[in-house]
Amino acid sequence: MPLDHSAPAVLPPAIQPPVVLRAVAGADHVLTAGALAFVGQLQARFGLRLHSLMVARQRRQERFDRGELPDYLPETRAIRRGIWQAAPVPTALLDRRVEITGPVDRKMMINALNSGANVFMADFEDATAPTFANIIAGHANMLDYRDGTLTHDDAKTGRSYRLGPNPALLILRPRGLHMVESNVIMGGQPVSAALFDFGLSIFHNGRALAASGRGPFYYLPKLESHREARLWNDIFLFAQEQVGLAPGTIKATVLIETLPAAFEMDEIIWELRDHIAGLNCGRWDYIFSYIKTLRNHGAYVLPDRAEITMDRAFLATYAARLVKVCHRRGIHAMGGMSAAIPVPGNPAAHDAALAQVRADKLREVELGHDGTWIAHPDLVPVARAVFDAAMPGPNQIRRPRQDYSSGARQPAAPLANG
């Protein structure tokens, strides 16, 4: 039966509900008895399985450290070579040409939602310092976004911030599967930060967002395997049943930002085929993952990161394969973040930064990406102009990309067909 949000969800008698160790402003509004019990349900049902997947990550890294290289999985060859597509992308997500990312700080959320971007990714992960106060404040802001009451009055400047008439669509990024929320304990152990962020958001906001056609939508960070995607899919199925949403209502975009995941793109889509809307090129974390994964392989040392641009072979191949796989499976291929940002007060540096962003976005749209990321509101018109000129439709999903091939086998440049 769907949860009654006016009453606490019920945990099995043998399971103690989560305990909050720290009092912060807004917690009573966010951490209601029902919301905490729902997080407890997620932790009780999926916590041990999540732990086993994190152990599996460690074991695989040990194999890499002993000399093994990432490769396609022979047991999933039929999935990679099969003719199939994911469920259709919902109308609200058809046009994602410009996505702005940022923290869940109240003022910055309003600015991002008003930026003119198609989508705002509200980031509980990389863009938000994970203090408990910040996390709880972010979830309180999500409640106000749900209710249309997200406002901010700045006492220092006297400025008022209100949402405009056509705000961006919000997609929430919870923290990664490898992280814990140490301020909330269950059974003597901290709960999963990913389950905490997802659980609070879907419990409080899921039905309202679904009723308005605004979600619930998520970005899933740091996945390393299709088995982790399978876990998320099972979490979605359970949450939808408990909250009272039809199967497939939740839609997720997976960041391909780890080297092992680059070899399992088809499999990740397959596991989430009823809930997936796209894959995203998380280039900076992908470079870090390359370094971490191949740390014992002297033949794969990288130069200074400032020299590693997306036209380098292993990154260009990774992006091309992502586009090819996504379009073959009927979902969006989202581009990554440009490192350049506006430089106020320095016209020469400012113009150079905008030129770099234009070139980066032009490379993405010509490669076949259906949208791109920016981190500053002033870059919205820059990115939009590039995509509008080259992509007249809402996306390029129907434009197949079967001609890419990476040639010789390289561990960071997955082959075209696996």
Side-chain angles (χ1 to χ4, degrees), residues 92-102 109 112-122 145 166-172 217-219 253 332 334 371-374 380 384:
L93 289 172
L94 285 177
D95 192 335
R96 305 172 60 179
R97 66 188 61 218
V98 181
E99 297 191 346
I100 188 169
T101 72
M109 282 183 62
L113 288 164
N114 288 338
S115 67
N118 299 70
V119 171
F120 164 50
M121 187 193 76
Y145 168 77
N166 189 30
L169 181 73
L170 187 146
I171 300 181
L172 185 148
F217 303 137
Y218 295 92
Y219 258 105
T253 303
H332 285 78
M334 300 302 299
T372 190
W373 274 17
I374 51 96
V380 170
R384 181 175 295 282

Side-chain angles (χ1 to χ4, degrees), residues 69-283:
L69 288 173
D71 205 346
Y72 294 101
L73 303 175
E75 64 269 26
T76 57
R77 183 176 291 109
I79 293 174
R80 290 193 299 278
R81 297 185 177 181
I83 300 174
W84 54 270
Q85 288 198 332
V89 175
T91 301
L93 289 172
L94 285 177
D95 192 335
R96 305 172 60 179
R97 66 188 61 218
V98 181
E99 297 191 346
I100 188 169
T101 72
V104 291
D105 168 81
R106 197 170 183 85
K107 182 177 77 172
M108 296 185 74
M109 282 183 62
I110 296 172
N111 285 338
L113 288 164
N114 288 338
S115 67
N118 299 70
V119 171
F120 164 50
M121 187 193 76
D123 190 10
F124 281 85
E125 199 214 17
D126 287 348
T128 297
T131 66
F132 199 46
N134 283 350
I135 296 297
I136 295 302
H139 283 291
N141 293 340
M142 294 299 141
L143 291 174
D144 288 341
Y145 168 77
R146 175 199 69 187
D147 297 336
T149 58
L150 185 64
T151 63
H152 177 66
D153 296 312
D154 193 324
K156 292 183 179 179
T157 65
R159 293 186 61 184
S160 295
Y161 297 82
R162 302 291 186 270
L163 288 183
N166 189 30
L169 181 73
L170 187 146
I171 300 181
L172 185 148
R173 177 162 71 168
R175 286 169 286 177
L177 292 174
H178 61 293
M179 299 183 69
V180 298
E181 178 46 73
S182 58
N183 294 287
V184 181
I185 301 297
M186 183 171 169
Q189 298 294 324
V191 301
S192 159
L195 295 180
F196 183 79
D197 292 339
F198 169 76
L200 290 179
S201 69
I202 196 71
F203 179 87
H204 284 304
N205 309 328
R207 290 192 298 196
L209 293 176
S212 66
R214 294 183 293 157
F217 303 137
Y218 295 92
Y219 258 105
L220 302 181
K222 306 297 187 293
L223 266 65
E224 294 193 10
S225 76
H226 71 283
R227 292 179 178 86
E228 295 173 14
R230 185 184 302 162
L231 171 68
W232 269 117
N233 194 71
D234 290 345
I235 291 169
F236 292 165
L237 290 171
F238 176 77
Q240 286 167 160
E241 180 181 6
Q242 294 298 306
V243 173
L245 300 176
T249 301
I250 295 172
K251 294 297 180 182
T253 303
V254 175
L255 290 114
I256 302 299
E257 53 187 347
T258 67
L259 182 56
F263 290 86
E264 299 186 31
M265 292 188 213
D266 283 292
E267 293 91 330
I268 287 170
I269 298 172
W270 173 259
E271 296 294 347
L272 284 160
R273 58 193 178 275
D274 292 328
H275 296 105
I276 196 160
L279 301 180
N280 176 282
C281 283
R283 64 173 76 170

Side-chain angles (χ1 to χ4, degrees), residues 284-332:
W284 303 111
D285 285 294
Y286 186 78
I287 293 170
F288 166 74
S289 177
Y290 177 103
I291 295 169
K292 182 183 74 172
T293 304
L294 303 178
R295 60 195 178 192
N296 281 11
H297 295 257
Y300 298 103
V301 176
L302 293 180
D304 185 276
R305 65 181 178 180
E307 300 178 24
I308 307 174
T309 52
M310 287 302 294
D311 57 352
R312 297 300 177 114
F314 84 100
L315 289 178
T317 305
Y318 145 73
R321 175 161 175 77
L322 184 140
V323 171
K324 176 181 176 180
V325 169
C326 286
H327 287 183
R328 187 183 184 201
R329 305 309 180 189
I331 62 174
H332 285 78

